[in-house]
Amino acid sequence: MRAPFEQDKPIYVQIREKIEDQIINDQLKEGDQAPSTNQLVNFYKINHATVTKGVNQLVEEEILYKKRGIGMFVTLGAKDKLIQKRKATFVDDYVRKLVREADKLGITESEVVDYIKHVKGRDKE
């Protein structure tokens, strides 16, 4: 069963992120052929233009490249580029907010680190 798409995010963005995740998780390696837009349309049962928009963003960001008449492939260095992009997003989306909230509550840096270690330890169980 396919996971449903999130309601709060455009589907083309979610398609792009699914491909990015496959690259980051080594399901798609640099130089590998990526799924075609037709394969993605058939798999997810969504509009061709939606898939094309997400895939084209990856081409514009030089994560994928097209070989005319053959398909799309993962660019060399794509995984590293995606990891760096995701790290920057992580800092902006989570760390900055965490630090601001910790400051409001008077939580010290060492307390924040202790909380993180506690949560990470609990997640491993």
Side-chain angles (χ1 to χ4, degrees):
M1 179 179 200
R2 289 177 211 106
F5 290 105
E6 298 173 27
Q7 296 296 318
D8 62 339
K9 190 184 296 185
I11 292 174
Y12 74 90
V13 171
Q14 294 178 66
I15 293 292
R16 185 187 75 218
E17 289 175 347
K18 287 177 188 299
I19 296 169
E20 289 177 350
D21 287 345
Q22 289 178 328
I23 295 168
I24 289 170
N25 297 328
D26 288 326
Q27 293 169 301
L28 281 174
K29 296 187 186 318
E30 296 172 351
D32 283 356
Q33 186 169 5
S36 71
T37 52
N38 287 334
Q39 288 172 318
L40 294 169
V41 164
N42 291 328
F43 184 77
Y44 291 111
K45 306 291 185 219
I46 57 176
N47 186 290
H48 195 274
T50 301
V51 171
T52 301
K53 186 171 183 176
V55 169
N56 282 344
Q57 286 183 344
L58 292 171
V59 172
E60 290 168 11
E61 294 174 16
E62 298 180 350
I63 301 301
L64 298 178
Y65 66 95
K66 294 180 182 180
K67 284 188 180 179
R68 190 176 183 108
I70 299 174
M72 286 176 290
F73 295 82
V74 180
T75 305
L76 294 177
K79 181 177 178 177
D80 291 337
K81 187 183 283 189
L82 286 172
I83 289 171
Q84 291 307 312
K85 177 181 139 189
R86 293 258 180 114
K87 283 181 178 181
T89 301
F90 177 79
V91 169
D92 289 340
D93 290 351
Y94 300 101
V95 177
R96 288 186 199 289
K97 291 176 186 175
L98 177 127
V99 169
R100 278 195 298 267
E101 189 66 15
D103 286 346
K104 283 184 213 172
L105 299 173
I107 299 172
T108 67
E109 183 178 326
S110 64
E111 287 175 309
V112 170
V113 170
D114 288 342
Y115 292 147
I116 291 170
K117 287 178 180 177
H118 176 75
V119 170
K120 284 189 77 152
R122 188 173 8 157
D123 288 347
K124 290 180 183 178
E125 296 173 358

